Amino acid sequence: MVNGIPLTYVGDGPTPPTTRRSGYMTYYNMGYEEKYNTALNLDLAITQRLDFITEGLSLGVKGGYDTNMYIRKQHKGSDALEQRINYKSFQEGEDLAISDPDFDKTYVFKPSGTMAPLSYNESTSSDRSWYLEARADYSRKFAGKHAVSGLLLYNQTRDYYPSKYSYLPRGYVGFVGRATYGYDDKYLVDVSAGYNGSENFAPGKTRYGLFPSMSLGWVVTEEKWMQKVSWLDYLKIRASVGKVGNDLGTSTRFMYMNSVWNEAGSYSFGVNNPNGVPYYTTGTPGNLGVTWETALKYNVGLDFDLFNNRLHFSGDLFKEHRTGILISPNSTPGIIATSLPNMNIGIVDNQGYEVELGWKDNIGEFRYSIDANVTYARNEIVYMDEVKSEFDYQNMTGGSTGRNDGLYKFIRLYNYDDFYTDENGVQRLNPELPQPSATVYPGDCMYADISGDGKVDGNDTMVYGFADRPEYMFGSNWKFSWKGFNLALNWIAATNVNKMLEVEYRIPFTNSGNRGLLDYFYRDCWTTENPNGTLPRAAEKSESWNSAPSTLWLRDASYIRLKSAQFGYTFGRNKFFDRIGVNSLNVSFTGYNLLTFTNLTFQDPETVSNNDGVYPLVKTYNLSLNINF
């Protein structure tokens, strides 16, 4: 910025070294925009008990209506003042060589352009949907030991402005049935089934899917022979199996129907005929046999409480076998000049466990409880119609979903010792090093030659790391109270998770060149003055090579976070409160996102990485007063 005007352009001809990229262009004369969002959400539920017909019977209806109106007003700049920088002799048109002693190298700044008025544009969008259900419930206990319940439910939804074919509302219908039986609170049985229909599948045998499930439970401590075990307060063994479905596929609708025909150009027939006849093409063909993808889920669990309910444990082992996953085939030859529809061909297995452990007790008036939980889940791609690569390290099959592919393995940055100067004075990479497919310089990225052919190219990219979905999730709640004081802390954590930085986070000023310079580039980029920098040099010539997906940009997104903390004091009843009719008064202070420990310091590790730069995570503090009369 010189004299209030940004230096955004370098003049033609011999110029002093400068850059065309500037963070000013992110906002300089870009204008502003206003966003308005109006939402209406309405829910209504009615339940009528029918005990006069039979005890425990009831009917109910429930409906929901949501509407949203969005208005965006843009005030955009189309032109702005800028400056060109040049040497004075060149700017004044002097016919002198830059090496001439009389050549004046004084910097000259020449403004150009105008400050045009902001333009105006307004756009609107809306959304509308409703939900309706009708249900019959029955719940009753016979002879004090036989607990029976049942449910019949019908539901229907409609979304009037879906993202795909927004002029055609999206709809679902479904039926649910459920029956439960419990004997003497010891033996528990739960059987249910869903029957759902989707517009994505053809009318007839493929449109609807049946999804049954069953669970069994045994409360062992209700047995008479367990009554003498004083240290065991509760013990339950449970197991379940069920089938669920998914109809979304690769974000398309009406998978059974052919795509619409569109005019794609024209053909001319005859000789010297300037008049063309339009021709039409169709997109993805339909698949009349496509139907629900399904997942068969198994779960076994154990719950127990010990030592007068002070120690609590709950554990689950689960496994899922997902088949018929809706994907488009990958192994079709390139001579088929169209994309193929979704087919039920993918297979993925998933398994893991959940464990929760807690302890609560008191020491006099001091009460405390601490619990912790961990969830682990890992899946494996069994089949995805993958075209097997020549190199095993490039195959996705057999690994987890969501991993990053096409990654180079980053070793280090090139330094001056990696180069020599040939007889023509040209700097070249030492021949004993693997030769990359791009021209590199000191400060550029060195990638591994995984294939071992002496070159670094597409054959050396690989599938690597974890997905951006953590395999391990942790949580812990700490609660303490003493007399009127109370303290509650909620911790969360995750590990075995990676985030690939989007390209905008791999290039100084971003690949578009009109965003601000991120702090970690300023501090850690390689330069001749900072040869120990950990990030590649800022250079347009090597930009695509250095910003290529690699392990350099694949970051560990593990974290530990104090999600919330609350401290308060409760004033009990006293004479003053009795006079004014107050039963109790509580004052509390709550903070959110107070502490985060992570290696991914410039992004929120809990969110999914994107190229827009989401609003930074904020700490929130609340002070509350609660009075009970």
Side-chain angles (χ1 to χ4, degrees):
M1 181 74 72
V2 178
N3 297 326
I5 304 174
L7 180 64
T8 61
Y9 188 74
V10 179
D12 298 326
T15 62
T18 186
T19 178
R20 297 169 185 254
R21 297 191 174 186
S22 170
Y24 284 113
M25 299 312 295
T26 306
Y27 58 88
Y28 183 71
N29 202 45
M30 294 294 291
Y32 63 97
E33 67 178 27
E34 303 168 276
K35 296 180 180 179
Y36 301 90
N37 189 20
T38 304
L40 171 65
N41 302 307
L42 177 65
D43 292 294
L44 178 65
I46 301 175
T47 301
Q48 174 63 57
R49 298 184 60 87
L50 300 177
D51 291 329
F52 60 91
I53 298 177
T54 182
E55 183 183 343
L57 180 64
S58 66
L59 296 178
V61 293
K62 181 180 180 180
Y65 179 80
D66 300 323
T67 183
N68 186 287
M69 183 66 183
Y70 178 78
I71 302 176
R72 182 182 185 186
K73 299 181 179 181
Q74 293 179 296
H75 307 262
K76 301 180 68 174
S78 58
D79 198 4
L81 284 174
E82 61 181 18
Q83 295 188 94
R84 299 186 179 192
I85 182 174
N86 226 315
Y87 291 129
K88 184 176 181 180
S89 289
F90 183 83
Q91 188 70 40
E92 295 179 354
E94 298 178 0
D95 189 16
L96 296 174
I98 195 172
S99 58
D100 193 307
D102 294 329
F103 188 93
D104 191 344
K105 293 185 178 181
T106 303
Y107 291 168
V108 176
F109 302 95
K110 183 179 180 181
S112 65
T114 59
M115 290 293 272
L118 299 178
S119 63
Y120 178 77
N121 180 62
E122 184 175 309
S123 61
T124 62
S125 62
S126 60
D127 190 18
R128 181 163 58 96
S129 63
W130 54 260
Y131 170 81
L132 177 66
E133 76 173 36
R135 59 188 295 157
D137 290 280
Y138 180 73
S139 179
R140 191 170 178 179
K141 199 167 188 177
F142 297 90
K145 291 186 176 183
H146 304 277
V148 179
S149 71
L151 165 70
L152 291 176
L153 181 144
Y154 168 82
N155 61 69
Q156 183 174 353
T157 62
R158 175 150 294 192
D159 181 5
Y160 283 90
Y161 303 105
S163 57
K164 184 76 170 181
Y165 304 130
S166 60
Y167 48 86
L168 293 175
R170 181 196 298 273
Y172 288 96
V173 294
F175 302 88
V176 177
R178 182 185 181 189
T180 69
Y181 172 74
Y183 175 72
D184 202 18
D185 296 327
K186 289 188 292 188
Y187 311 117
L188 310 172
V189 180
D190 188 322
V191 179
S192 63
Y195 188 65
N196 300 307
S198 170
E199 64 176 20
N200 287 337
F201 312 128
K205 65 178 182 180
T206 64
R207 170 154 290 185
Y208 287 85
L210 178 64
F211 308 105
S213 65
M214 181 178 69
S215 65
L216 302 173
W218 178 26
V219 183
V220 183
T221 45
E222 292 297 320
E223 300 286 356
K224 291 183 179 179
W225 47 269
M226 288 292 297
Q227 302 303 315
K228 296 181 180 180
V229 184
S230 59
W231 51 269
L232 181 60
D233 304 296
Y234 181 78
L235 174 62
K236 180 180 180 180
I237 302 172
R238 47 191 167 79
S240 65
V241 59
K243 186 179 180 182
V244 298
N246 174 51
D247 72 317
L248 297 181
T250 54
S251 301
T252 186
R253 297 178 67 189
F254 310 113
M255 301 178 195
Y256 66 97
M257 298 179 63
N258 292 326
S259 297
V260 296
W261 290 83
N262 293 298
E263 184 175 348
S266 62
Y267 281 118
S268 295
F269 295 90
V271 180
N272 297 326
N273 179 11
N275 299 316
V277 178
Y279 72 88
Y280 295 80
T281 61
T282 185
T284 304
N287 178 8
L288 288 174
V290 70
T291 187
W292 294 82
E293 71 176 60
T294 60
L296 192 59
K297 299 189 174 189
Y298 306 88
N299 181 283
V300 293
L302 177 69
D303 305 307
F304 62 76
D305 295 325
L306 306 178
F307 314 126
N308 292 324
N309 294 308
R310 286 181 293 181
L311 177 66
H312 169 74
F313 173 87
S314 178
D316 289 84
L317 295 174
F318 59 85
K319 186 173 183 179
E320 175 186 298
H321 181 58
R322 184 173 291 270
T323 59
I325 297 175
L326 293 163
I327 58 175
S328 182
N330 298 308
S331 60
T332 52
I335 59 174
I336 299 179
T338 184
S339 57
L340 293 182
N342 281 274
M343 298 183 182
N344 297 101
I345 57 177
I347 303 174
V348 171
D349 286 338
N350 181 45
Q351 60 185 359
Y353 59 83
E354 296 181 10
V355 175
E356 179 183 350
L357 184 65
W359 176 270
K360 61 180 179 181
D361 202 355
N362 67 282
I363 303 173
E365 294 187 73
F366 177 71
R367 298 180 179 273
Y368 67 95
S369 68
I370 298 176
D371 66 68
N373 59 79
V374 57
T375 300
Y376 168 77
R378 173 176 289 180
N379 58 38
E380 177 187 350
I381 301 172
V382 179
Y383 183 78
M384 57 176 290
D385 195 36
E386 181 179 30
V387 179
K388 187 173 176 59
S389 172
E390 176 186 358
F391 308 101
D392 290 339
Y393 52 80
Q394 294 184 335
N395 294 321
M396 296 285 291
T397 304
S400 177
T401 62
R403 292 183 303 158
N404 292 275
D405 60 341
L407 269 63
Y408 287 107
K409 183 179 180 181
F410 175 76
I411 300 177
R412 60 176 175 85
L413 299 177
Y414 288 108
N415 56 51
Y416 285 106
D417 294 337
D418 298 319
F419 296 84
Y420 72 96
T421 303
D422 65 12
E423 63 276 7
N424 297 318
V426 178
Q427 188 181 57
R428 298 189 182 277
L429 187 64
N430 290 332
E432 61 268 18
L433 293 173
Q435 301 298 300
S437 57
T439 302
V440 294
Y441 302 89
D444 288 339
C445 289
M446 177 189 290
Y447 302 131
D449 174 25
I450 302 178
S451 65
D453 61 358
K455 298 181 294 184
V456 180
D457 53 23
N459 290 334
D460 299 298
T461 61
M462 61 181 178
V463 179
Y464 186 79
F466 299 104
D468 60 4
R469 172 194 66 252
E471 289 189 340
Y472 285 97
M473 294 288 295
F474 304 91
S476 185
N477 293 290
W478 304 351
K479 296 180 180 179
F480 309 94
S481 65
W482 179 72
K483 294 186 176 180
F485 295 97
N486 62 85
L487 173 66
L489 304 176
N490 173 231
W491 296 86
I492 59 173
T495 190
N496 281 20
V497 55
N498 289 135
K499 294 189 186 298
M500 171 57 69
L501 301 184
E502 296 290 338
V503 67
E504 283 78 7
Y505 292 92
R506 306 178 212 158
I507 302 174
F509 297 105
T510 76
N511 54 332
S512 58
N514 60 359
R515 293 190 184 181
L517 180 64
L518 296 173
D519 179 68
Y520 62 87
F521 277 122
Y522 175 77
R523 290 184 288 102
D524 296 332
C525 268
W526 184 97
T527 63
T528 54
E529 295 81 13
N530 183 31
N532 296 320
T534 59
L535 297 179
R537 67 192 184 105
E540 291 187 17
K541 287 185 177 181
S542 302
E543 189 173 276
S544 59
W545 176 259
N546 291 331
S547 64
S550 73
T551 55
L552 172 64
W553 309 112
L554 187 66
R555 300 301 176 90
D556 179 8
S558 301
Y559 65 89
I560 300 174
R561 170 168 289 164
L562 178 58
K563 191 67 176 179
S564 66
Q566 183 182 59
F567 178 74
Y569 184 79
T570 300
F571 296 88
R573 295 189 61 174
N574 53 53
K575 294 182 179 180
F576 174 73
F577 282 0
D578 290 340
R579 285 198 298 269
I580 61 176
V582 173
N583 291 325
S584 65
L585 183 150
N586 174 265
V587 180
S588 63
F589 173 82
T590 306
Y592 299 92
N593 303 316
L594 300 181
L595 293 172
T596 300
F597 306 95
T598 179
N599 291 325
L600 191 65
T601 56
F602 55 89
Q603 286 187 353
D604 180 7
E606 236 185 315
T607 63
V608 178
S609 178
N610 62 60
N611 59 0
D612 292 330
V614 296
Y615 195 80
L617 184 70
V618 297
K619 296 180 181 180
T620 306
Y621 304 96
N622 294 332
L623 182 63
S624 63
L625 177 67
N626 190 350
I627 304 176
N628 293 320
F629 296 92

